[in-house]
Every structure is written in C-alpha cells, then in structure tokens.
Amino acid sequence: MWKKADVSANVQKLCRDGYPKLTALVMANAGVENKEQAEEFLYSETVHDPAKIRNIEKVSEIIWDHIYRKEKICIFGDYDCDGVTGAAILYLMLKRLGADVIARLPDRIYEGYGISMEAFREEIALGTKLFITIDNGIKAIAEVEEIRRQGCKSIVLDHHQPGEVLPNADALIDLWVDGETYPFHELTGSGLAWKVACYILTMVDDYAYAMELVDLAAFGTIADVAPLIGENRSIVKRALRQMRSCWYKREGIKALYDGPLDRITAEDIAFKIAPCINASGRLEVRGADLPLLLLLEDRSEIAKFLAERLTDCNNRRKQIQKEWCARMEKTAEEMIERGDKVLVLFADGAPSGVVGLIAGNLKEKYNRPTVVFASKEDGNGKTIWTGSGRSIKGFHLLNALKTCEDLFLAYGGHELAAGMSIPESEDVLCELRARLNRAADYLSEEDLTPVTYWDMEITEGDLTQQLYDELKSLEPFGEGVKKPVFKMRMHLLPKRHMVMGADKSHLKLFCENYSAVGFSLADKYIRSELPEVIDALGYPCENYFNGKVKQEFMLIDFEPVTENE
C-alpha cells in the first residue's frame, strides 16, 4: 500500500524563507524549524568544544598518568562497526602519544557483548593497568568493581542509556547520565572516542591528527544508525570531504571501497563499508579483530589482503542471510495464517551473528514485529538460545519484553530493536511467543499492513540536472534525514528491459532520457507482463561507471498503469 507522507507545517514556513520546496521538505522532515537551523543544516561543520564534556579532564589525567608511567593500557571495544572504529580511534591516538596500548574486542560468538570477567582477567595477567571501555561498560557494574579489586583502573566511555546504578569507574563519560554538560547527546561510541582524542591531542598541539580520525567516527556514527543532525552531521560532512580529497590516507578503506572515493556518500558508507566491517564479527571467532587490523594498517599491500578477506566474509554473510530468510518465510507465513501478530522463530543451525539481520528482513517483508533465535554456547560452554528482535512503529519491543523478563537470561534494547537470550528450551520459546502475541493483541490489520510512504509527485520532465544537484546539496542522508521518495509516472521504451544480478532478481528499465534500476523487482515486472507505463516510487540518483556519469531513477516499487488510467 502506498500513502503520501504527512507534510510538516514547517515546509511552508521554510519556503517563505526562500528555500525551494524540495529543500524545505527535507529539512522540515529532519526537524528544521527556522532559517537559522536551516543554514546550520545546509552549511555548518561546527563541532563543540570537547572540554564541555563532563569528566573529560579526569579521563585525560588518568590516561596521561599511565603514559608517563609506561603502564599498559587496554582498550576494550565492541564487535560492531561503532565499537571497532571507536577502539581504532583510541588506539591510534594512544600510539601517537607513545603509550603502551593494546585493543581487545569481544568475541560475539563465545563472549557476547561487553567486557567480560574472563577477558579482563586475561589482560591483567598480561600486564594491563588501565582499561578503557568504548561503546560498552555503562552496565558493567560487577566487572568494573572487579577491575578495581584487582588493583587496576578503569575508564568507561559509552553512549548507551545508563541503568539506575552506574559502574564505579575511575572516570566515566556517558552523555545520557543526568547532569551532563555537553550540548549534544546523540554521539555514538566512535563519536565519543573522537571527542576524547580531540581533547587529548590538542594538549600536544596535534589537533590536525585528531581531524584525520574523523572518518572513523563517521563510519561508526552511520553504522550505528545515529541521527545525522547536529554534531553527527558535522562529523559525517567533515569525513566525506576528507575521503573525497586526493590526500586521504586510510589504506584499509581505500582497499575496501570499490567505488570512486571522490564521489562517496553517507549511503555508500552505510551499505558498502559498514557491512564489511561488521561481517567477520558476525560469522567468525574473534572476527572483529580483522576489521580493526584493516583500519590500523598503513601498508597498501597488506591492506588489500585484509580487505579481500573482509569482502569475502561479507559476501558469505549475504548468502547465509538470504538462505535463512528464504527458509524462515514458510514458517512465518504459517504463523501469520494462524493469527500471530508477532513472529517468534528459531533458526536451527543459523549463525547467531545474523539473527538480527534475518529478523529485520522478515519484519520488512511481513510488517510484523519479529524475533529470531539461534543456538550458541555461552562463556561457560553451555548451550543457550540467543535472539534478536526488530519491531514496527506502534509496538514498543523493549516494553513488551519487560513483561516476559522472567523468561530471559539477559535482554536489552529499545523501541524498535532488542537482543535477548533464553535457556535451550522449546517450552520457553513457545511461552515467549504466546506472551508477545498477547502483548500485541491491540495491533489492527491496518497496523500490520505494509505501507510505503512517498513525499512528492513529479513528472519525467522534472528529472533535470537542477533536481539532481539539489538532492546532492542536501546530503548526507541517513537516519533522521531521509532521502525524499518521489512518485512519478514512467513511460518505458518498449521491449527494452534487463534482469541483473547472479540470481537475475534485479531490474533495469529504459526511458527516453534516463534509466531506472529496481532491486528485487524483476519478478514483479515479468509477472506484470512487461508494462510500458508504470507508476513508480523512488528517487533520482547518479551512476558513476568508467568515468562517466549517468542519471538514473532508483525504484522502490512500481505498479503497472492500464490503458484507461
């Protein structure tokens, strides 16, 4: 079902301030209310003074003390892109300052999220005196206390919501802790790591090197789906400008990204770079170490080797994800037929690192809250079932999980996504399925009907260079700044279409002055008997190939138009 998106009252206000309708629409949807905010949205790359962050001076003092004493520092990050890039920023900063530093990332398969007792005890045995957590730690109450009992110090840098009790770290920064003095709270772990690096490196007049680390902060910001507003927007803008320049130095990214860096966008980072950084951590034991090595590598040949491994791993991840989604669809459809409004499935044999991706795909296909479990071993070698959930607007997943907390070994998350683990038990899984469906009983058929929203109706004649340029001026697009979706009637050249991709699932259509591409739409076009006129939803984009720029329209969906229409 297609629907026109609601139009903010601020669109007309911004149009009166002199902005074109499309620009006003994108900015209003991003929360821009007046001309001052509009100018900041369009042109600003301002970042705040890191000295405004509460406790950052204490963090700096502890780090400098351990550098001067030549005591070993262990950075403890996370296995996702934000945690990997945050760890890379801190590692490069500390190495630059001459610190004795190592970075340790948790193993997603056997250790799970966050710092574990076993991990830090191993590092203490190897001589660590200071632990710095990044992208985790705010809930590690017992672990931080044990670090203190072992005679070591800890710094917690995290961006997740704190609990009622804070860890007793020697210094703690989390911008969501009550009383924070920093003016922007939406930094991710990598963004927070970058601010700490900026603060400390400025003390030795090395702010220029801190600026070179901004690309890593942008990768984590985009991959963690943080809103691209305020300082996050500035971070991404600075990173894109750096990456598009001829002096960009990050050999690992130059090897990993197969497109022209001088044209790179935030969407390229989201859909091409970030998935590769995440892939090996999802599938392999200690897999997150591989992308970390890539980000730290400055030798081009070794970077190419590491990038090839990551690319291969990401291709394997995509294939596994596709196969498991196909396997789960029949079960999901049987559940829907019997009346389930929440899909709770067990993917027996699937890697635990991909269950969140499978849940996301099924949620998109059926527009139902979806939780997918897989089997794994915990840190003690005991088999548990670990799950990941994705939800729809109108069903607060975390609140629903709270009504089932007696079933979980652990759980956490927010309104639209969550993770959890349960004992290895079909009975527990069935009980969870029953309770979540009771919690979703209020969802109507309308709530569960997939809807694609569009923002503006245009004609083929509106696909001018001016429109393409206006869209580029509104970048970066991402969370909180959605690319506008256009509705347009397309007149196709007769008997000219292509199916593409290894499985021939993608579609390319040809019009008089442009072409259109639709992922996973080939089957629909063939079943529609190759219509020559269609109503399409999508957006204009430019395709760069062999040094040439071609204007295209990216299809999201289409419907054939009959002769009478």
Side-chain angles (χ1 to χ4, degrees), residues 234-246:
S234 296
I235 286 171
V236 174
K237 281 185 179 180
R238 286 169 176 249
L240 292 173
R241 178 161 47 81
Q242 178 195 101
M243 296 177 74
R244 290 168 179 169
S245 69
C246 60

Side-chain angles (χ1 to χ4, degrees), residues 97-109:
L97 299 174
D100 179 6
V101 59
I102 63 161
R104 172 151 182 171
L105 305 177
D107 174 60
R108 184 176 201 144
I109 298 171

Side-chain angles (χ1 to χ4, degrees), residues 252-279:
I253 297 302
K254 287 159 68 175
L256 187 63
Y257 182 63
D258 60 1
L261 272 170
D262 61 341
R263 304 278 189 175
I264 195 166
T265 66
E267 293 157 293
D268 292 324
I269 294 172
F271 297 110
K272 296 178 181 179
I273 292 177
C276 287
I277 293 175
N278 279 326

Side-chain angles (χ1 to χ4, degrees), residues 215-515:
D215 61 324
L216 300 176
F219 299 158
T221 298
I222 293 168
D224 231 45
V225 203
L228 297 190
I229 57 173
E231 190 166 24
N232 283 342
R233 191 166 186 81
S234 296
I235 286 171
V236 174
K237 281 185 179 180
R238 286 169 176 249
L240 292 173
R241 178 161 47 81
Q242 178 195 101
M243 296 177 74
R244 290 168 179 169
S245 69
C246 60
W247 49 266
Y248 183 58
K249 298 177 181 178
R250 194 83 55 208
E251 292 295 337
I253 297 302
K254 287 159 68 175
L256 187 63
Y257 182 63
D258 60 1
L261 272 170
D262 61 341
R263 304 278 189 175
I264 195 166
T265 66
E267 293 157 293
D268 292 324
I269 294 172
F271 297 110
K272 296 178 181 179
I273 292 177
C276 287
I277 293 175
N278 279 326
S280 58
R282 295 185 184 279
L283 299 180
E284 298 180 356
V285 175
R286 299 301 297 267
D289 291 348
L290 181 58
L292 179 62
L293 290 172
L294 178 81
L295 296 176
L296 301 178
E297 185 55 62
D298 56 11
R299 293 163 292 185
S300 61
E301 288 304 313
I302 296 177
K304 287 177 184 176
F305 170 74
L306 295 172
E308 286 173 3
R309 282 194 58 192
L310 270 183
T311 300
D312 289 345
C313 194
N314 191 46
N315 289 335
R316 185 156 50 95
R317 184 274 307 168
K318 287 191 281 189
Q319 187 61 33
I320 290 170
Q321 182 181 343
K322 180 180 178 181
E323 290 174 359
W324 275 100
C325 284
R327 287 192 205 183
M328 295 285 101
E329 284 176 4
K330 182 179 179 182
T331 306
E333 287 164 7
E334 289 172 352
M335 290 178 173
I336 292 169
E337 200 168 307
R338 76 184 186 205
D340 283 15
K341 295 179 178 181
V342 180
L343 305 177
V344 180
L345 306 108
F346 181 62
D348 190 8
S352 59
V354 301
V355 292
L357 302 175
I358 298 168
N361 288 153
L362 295 176
K363 184 269 294 186
E364 288 296 320
K365 184 175 179 68
Y366 300 110
N367 200 55
R368 277 166 165 73
T370 303
V371 180
V372 178
F373 283 89
S375 178
K376 64 171 280 187
E377 288 185 7
D378 64 12
N380 300 316
K382 183 180 178 181
T383 299
I384 61 172
W385 289 355
T386 181
S388 189
R390 300 293 182 269
S391 193
I392 61 174
K393 186 177 180 182
F395 185 75
H396 197 298
L397 184 56
L398 183 59
N399 286 349
L401 294 180
K402 286 178 181 176
T403 67
C404 313
E405 62 183 2
D406 58 301
L407 302 177
F408 300 129
L409 301 172
Y411 77 102
H414 50 82
E415 181 178 358
L416 296 177
M420 67 225 73
S421 59
I422 63 175
E424 182 186 17
S425 169
E426 183 69 33
D427 290 342
V428 173
L429 188 72
C430 290
E431 178 65 17
L432 176 63
R433 183 181 295 126
R435 289 200 207 174
L436 289 178
N437 273 283
R438 284 199 296 271
D441 188 58
Y442 65 90
L443 292 175
S444 66
E445 280 305 309
E446 185 178 351
D447 294 328
L448 300 172
T449 301
V451 178
T452 303
Y453 291 95
W454 56 274
D455 299 287
M456 183 180 291
E457 189 164 7
I458 59 173
T459 68
E460 290 174 298
D462 294 321
L463 292 179
T464 62
Q465 189 60 50
Q466 181 179 352
L467 177 63
Y468 285 87
D469 290 343
E470 186 176 357
L471 278 171
K472 282 193 285 188
S473 74
L474 294 167
E475 293 178 351
F477 292 108
E479 182 65 19
V481 187
K482 297 297 186 183
K483 182 170 279 189
V485 175
F486 297 88
K487 181 181 178 184
M488 180 177 72
R489 178 155 293 183
M490 294 175 56
H491 298 81
L492 313 176
L493 296 178
K495 299 180 181 178
R496 285 198 62 188
H497 75 276
M498 290 173 55
V499 292
M500 306 180 297
D503 57 358
K504 305 297 183 184
S505 64
H506 308 316
L507 176 67
K508 187 163 187 176
L509 302 173
F510 298 89
C511 303
E512 191 66 40
N513 298 311
Y514 67 97
S515 58

